[in-house]
Amino acid sequence: MTSARRQTVFASLDQPGVWPPTPRALRPQRLDLALDSLPGVAATTQRKLGKLGLASVRDVLEHRPRRYETAAEEVAIAELREGEELVVSGRVLNVEKRPMRGRRRTRIVARVADDTATVSVTWFNQPWLADRLKPGTEIRLRGKLGRFGFEPRSYDIGDDARATADFAPVYPAAEEIAAATVRRVVDAALPLAVHVPDPLPAALREREGLALKRDALAAVHRPRDLREAETGRQRLAFEELLVLQVGIARRAAERERTLAPGLGEPGELIHRYRQALPFALTPYQEQAIREIDGDLAGTIPMQRLLQGDVGSGKTVVALYALLRAVENGRQGALMAPTETLAEQHFLTIADLCLELGVSCALLTSSSGKREREAALGVDVVVGTHALIQEGFELRDLAVAVVDEQHRFGVEQRSALAAGRAPHVLHMTATPIPRTLALTVYGDLEVSEIAKPPASRKPVITSWITEDRASEAYTRLTRLLREGRQAYVVCPLIEASETSLARAAEEEAERLRRAELREFRVGCLHGRLKAAERRDLMSRFKACDLDVLVATTVIEVGVDVANATVMIVQEADRFGLAQLHQLRGRVGRGAEQSYCLLVSRAKEELTESAQSRLQALCETSDGFELAEVDLELRGGGALLGTRQSGLSDLRFAHLLRDRDLLERARAEAAGIEPGPLQDAAAALFAEVEPEALA
Ligand code: ADP
Ligand code: MG
């Protein structure tokens, strides 16, 4: 039975004349056909697939299965063993839809019987299944016996046994489109894979032992075993990484053709800066500065990534680089992703600049015309995207610093340098695992501030569920009474800035009446005017407020050492990197700090949300967290969708493919003009200045 089913599953591979491909003229234009040109694909299906980003035959062929069903034993229901992945077949006796605690979740429970026994089968969050499971329906299930009865990972209804077959691909499903439909469309598209040209030169393929692209695609969608699937994936991953590496090499070569001002050795201004700082720089900061000085002395524009966890002291290093421009009679600019952060930087930097006799201005989208004109002439400009808007041209920019660089698209980061060739320092508090760094920033030098200034204690983080939220407030009020200050971060709802602001105001009002009755509570959100926000921040800094209720606008840059507690409400809604950033707002002084993550009830959380919260409690090491995040989400998500190149990686796995990446790097240098070079040029095309307007 099973083997007969296997035959149908893999028929497309074995049918002579369809697969393997007979030699014939390639017609790659067929790959651009819309999906409704495939047999059995209707316009509605096409529309739904479009929402998954699948528009053409090529898209479907390159749609990567998320995983494969592993080989599993088929047993009678009476023989089911707990905790082991098994396959059973039977018919549905009845089906029931049960709501679960919490708003959005449902549970479908069906009784399924064969000749030996009956078992109850539970699906979570697939309410539409209720209509499909009529009594008497034949069903084949693959999954495990667990707490809620049989919990299937996949199932087939009727005699179509493709989803539960051994090594069947499992595609990322979406609510609107059944996994089975995606599989059917892939089936229909596969015969056209014969038209996929292979961009890899034959000699390279031979050297690296790589299959033809079309064979790799077939192997990925219809493997006979897992090894075959993995070999196919690696072939496709290799090509992706190669294109990326060729692109990076092109970018580096371009940069080396432009000239930046050489800034010589540090001089008198830098000497005074060091003396003005209220602390000595850490060895890591000193090391980063030495590396920056090395770059600035040359005329190849610096492209350096300064990596250091939240609170590690990057800003001091950034200002150092900016002052190196100033002491050479030129300008420095610091670009931050949000107004709050730009203002924070400005507040920090302005005082020091004043002391050093260096002129300094803040430029945001709320700056007026006069302010803009004035900013053009100062030594150091701090600002937001406004710095790269048309009509704002610094006369003599020599050093540009981009803070939280992953928040900007590649095109925005390079716009700061457009038409000029300043030295650029990119800063990030999202530590980037090495594979990823090589992948995306292959042409960036990296400096790392591996440890924060010694006086810091790691933040103690705990995770509690809503029902025990009062404990969090008890702890909070105790610390407030001791004279500490606190942040309460409001839930991240998918809504406009305005409704976020309203939600924060309401929460602040509620807390003023309830848990935080005896304290002074301010509310910080993105809808405040710049002046209001500045006023609020300076009152909080001056200890005129005890608590700031805030949206994620406090995520970056807010720096108040006496604020030692943070409560994050509905923390499960936030991403890992974001929670780590938020947590970085506390633990900035010598006092012990606390971060209390309040989540919804455990059974309402996805596995990945639980892993995130768990990881945050276990470590405060941003680097480790970045690896966890990468594992949970993949690279594109980690660095933001706008990060060029990464969103194009479908088959490459950024943690596992280190070896492939090194091989691709080595091969990249020898790639002649041709399809790979074209693909690489297209990958970074958005960097071209004409695309900026
Ligand atoms: P980052 O930008 O990396 O998050 P900051 O540059 O804002 O970190 O520094 C965090 C805090 O640490 C600031 O209050 C800063 O004044 C302080 N700081 C920076 N360097 C040192 C140092 N070497 N010794 C003591 N404190 C420092
Ligand atoms: Mg910072």
Side-chain angles (χ1 to χ4, degrees):
M1 170 86 156
T2 317
S3 76
R5 278 176 171 158
R6 283 276 296 279
Q7 293 257 297
T8 5
V9 173
F10 298 114
S12 59
L13 278 173
D14 301 330
Q15 252 169 48
V18 177
W19 205 270
T22 49
R24 59 173 127 172
L26 291 188
R27 278 184 237 113
Q29 62 279 12
R30 291 210 177 172
L31 303 170
D32 298 321
L33 290 177
L35 292 173
D36 63 354
S37 67
L38 293 173
V41 181
T44 44
T45 309
Q46 166 167 282
R47 213 164 34 242
K48 287 175 185 168
L49 288 164
K51 288 193 188 152
L52 291 179
L54 305 175
S56 66
V57 170
R58 179 183 288 102
D59 294 339
V60 167
L61 290 174
E62 293 179 356
H63 191 46
R64 185 174 69 88
R66 200 167 31 134
R67 59 181 174 82
Y68 299 89
E69 290 297 6
T70 47
E73 190 187 339
E74 181 152 9
V75 298
I77 291 178
E79 291 163 22
L80 273 174
R81 303 178 290 272
E82 197 145 330
E84 201 177 323
E85 175 132 342
L86 297 165
V87 176
V88 293
S89 300
R91 63 196 176 282
V92 175
L93 298 181
N94 58 43
V95 61
E96 208 185 321
K97 201 190 273 192
R98 298 185 192 161
M100 288 182 66
R101 228 177 72 80
R103 293 127 283 201
R104 284 159 299 271
R105 306 210 13 165
T106 52
R107 187 147 60 107
I108 297 290
V109 182
R111 309 272 310 154
V112 172
D114 67 2
D115 300 338
T116 65
T118 304
V119 65
S120 81
V121 182
T122 301
W123 284 271
F124 295 97
N125 284 333
Q126 302 180 45
W128 59 87
L129 258 180
D131 299 330
R132 298 193 57 205
L133 299 173
K134 302 262 180 306
T137 309
E138 294 285 335
I139 190 162
R140 192 168 191 263
L141 301 156
R142 169 194 283 260
K144 287 181 188 169
L145 202 53
R147 193 150 73 92
F148 293 92
F150 195 81
E151 298 171 37
R153 248 158 58 118
S154 56
Y155 60 88
D156 286 302
I157 291 175
D159 52 5
D160 170 26
R162 293 187 301 169
T164 52
D166 292 346
F167 313 116
V170 180
Y171 297 96
E175 182 127 349
E176 287 174 41
I177 190 150
T181 311
V182 179
R183 241 179 350 258
R184 193 165 51 74
V185 176
V186 172
D187 280 345
L190 260 185
L192 294 177
V194 293
H195 298 295
V196 173
D198 203 306
L200 300 184
L204 183 155
R205 249 188 357 249
E206 195 156 321
R207 204 162 46 237
E208 300 286 341
L210 299 170
L212 279 171
K213 184 169 189 171
R214 57 192 184 191
D215 293 340
L217 287 168
V220 158
H221 292 294
R222 293 292 172 266
R224 281 164 233 257
D225 53 38
L226 287 180
R227 200 193 42 79
E228 193 174 274
E230 173 61 11
T231 309
R233 183 196 70 82
Q234 288 196 9
R235 156 67 187 78
L236 299 167
F238 184 90
E239 183 181 322
E240 287 174 346
L241 294 170
L242 184 60
V243 167
L244 203 54
Q245 293 304 318
V246 170
I248 285 169
R250 288 172 66 100
R251 205 165 57 178
E254 233 159 74
R255 176 156 62 86
E256 281 169 23
R257 283 195 297 272
T258 56
L259 278 185
L263 298 180
E265 295 288 308
E268 180 265 343
L269 177 61
I270 288 295
H271 181 70
R272 283 194 288 127
Y273 173 55
R274 283 175 171 282
Q275 300 210 307
L277 286 174
F279 42 72
L281 297 177
T282 67
Y284 294 103
Q285 287 169 323
E286 290 289 1
Q287 173 69 22
I289 279 173
R290 265 196 303 281
E291 290 162 352
I292 289 168
D293 278 336
D295 295 342
L296 297 182
T299 53
I300 296 176
M302 170 169 80
Q303 285 289 337
R304 182 169 290 278
L305 182 67
L306 178 60
Q307 187 172 312
D309 214 340
V310 207
S312 60
K314 295 184 294 298
T315 315
V316 181
V317 176
L319 183 54
Y320 178 98
L322 296 171
L323 293 175
R324 291 295 323 275
V326 177
E327 70 177 4
N328 279 270
R330 294 166 178 268
Q331 290 175 294
L334 190 162
M335 182 162 78
T338 66
E339 267 188 43
T340 320
L341 184 52
E343 281 161 17
Q344 282 289 318
H345 277 313
F346 181 70
L347 289 178
T348 315
I349 285 175
D351 283 348
L352 272 161
C353 282
L354 188 67
E355 199 176 331
L356 299 170
V358 168
S359 61
C360 180
L362 175 68
L363 185 89
T364 67
S365 51
S366 35
S367 307
K369 188 157 175 257
R370 185 145 338 126
E371 283 171 282
R372 276 223 305 277
E373 269 159 24
L376 283 171
V378 300
D379 298 323
V380 172
V381 194
V382 178
T384 56
H385 301 78
L387 283 175
I388 52 171
Q389 249 137 41
E390 265 200 46
F392 189 80
E393 287 274 320
L394 290 170
R395 68 180 149 80
D396 204 3
L397 181 65
V399 174
V401 177
V402 184
D403 194 14
E404 304 296 336
Q405 54 79 37
H406 62 282
R407 298 267 205 112
F408 294 100
V410 171
E411 68 274 28
Q412 287 171 318
R413 284 188 279 142
S414 50
L416 195 53
R420 302 165 282 210
H423 296 285
V424 185
L425 182 67
H426 308 260
M427 302 204 290
T428 182
T430 307
I432 296 160
R434 180 162 163 77
T435 347
L436 197 50
L438 276 180
T439 312
V440 197
Y441 305 115
D443 60 337
L444 255 60
E445 306 288 337
V446 179
S447 295
E448 195 187 355
I449 304 186
K451 289 220 168 64
S455 54
R456 300 257 169 73
K457 295 195 187 111
V459 178
I460 296 177
T461 303
S462 23
W463 164 26
I464 53 177
T465 46
E466 251 163 14
D467 48 321
R468 294 172 47 207
S470 64
E471 290 170 34
Y473 284 96
T474 310
R475 253 156 95 185
L476 182 85
T477 45
R478 199 178 56 231
L479 286 155
L480 290 175
R481 285 195 198 110
E482 286 170 15
R484 303 277 91 81
Q485 291 166 282
Y487 302 103
V488 175
V489 181
C490 292
L492 189 69
I493 44 180
E494 275 195 40
S496 66
E497 192 79 40
T498 312
S499 51
L500 269 175
R502 191 167 341 111
E505 294 279 11
E506 279 167 15
E507 182 60 14
E509 210 31 63
R510 190 188 70 75
L511 288 169
R512 278 181 199 119
R513 281 196 305 267
E515 285 95 334
L516 302 179
R517 209 171 313 112
E518 44 183 307
F519 303 102
R520 296 159 299 173
V521 179
C523 183
L524 182 70
H525 55 71
R527 272 284 164 262
L528 293 179
K529 293 206 180 64
E532 293 172 318
R533 202 160 52 214
R534 250 190 309 250
D535 175 56
L536 202 58
M537 281 316 302
S538 63
R539 276 163 59 206
F540 190 61
K541 237 178 178 150
C543 232
D544 286 343
L545 288 170
D546 303 303
V547 182
L548 265 191
V549 174
T551 60
T552 50
V553 297
I554 64 154
E555 186 182 344
V556 278
V558 173
D559 188 15
V560 177
N562 189 46
T564 60
V565 211
M566 168 176 285
I567 291 185
V568 184
Q569 299 177 336
E570 298 196 22
D572 50 289
R573 292 182 186 274
F574 294 87
L576 186 49
Q578 202 170 20
L579 285 171
H580 181 60
Q581 289 278 336
L582 283 169
R583 177 170 64 177
R585 298 310 108 210
V586 293
R588 299 179 82 84
E591 293 289 331
Q592 179 61 58
S593 288
Y594 303 88
C595 177
L596 310 169
L597 305 170
V598 181
S599 81
R600 291 172 289 165
K602 246 189 195 154
E603 52 297 355
E604 284 186 54
L605 303 185
T606 61
E607 226 167 89
S608 144
Q610 301 195 25
S611 310
R612 289 200 298 271
L613 297 172
Q614 197 60 45
L616 280 155
C617 295
E618 280 163 14
T619 180
S620 54
D621 180 337
F623 195 84
E624 262 175 57
L625 289 172
E627 301 248 328
V628 173
D629 208 16
L630 190 59
E631 195 60 64
L632 289 175
R633 294 200 299 156
L638 179 59
L639 289 184
T641 45
R642 310 198 60 190
Q643 198 78 51
S644 181
L646 270 188
S647 45
D648 297 294
L649 294 181
R650 293 168 203 270
F651 294 97
H653 188 288
L654 290 166
L655 283 182
R656 248 191 284 144
D657 290 337
R658 179 79 184 265
D659 172 56
L660 273 184
L661 176 65
E662 301 288 355
R663 277 162 56 195
R665 253 169 102 75
E667 292 283 0
I671 297 299
E672 307 274 330
L676 287 171
Q677 286 281 359
D678 296 346
L683 202 57
F684 291 105
E686 70 228 71
V687 182
E688 302 301 328
E690 50 271 23
L692 290 172

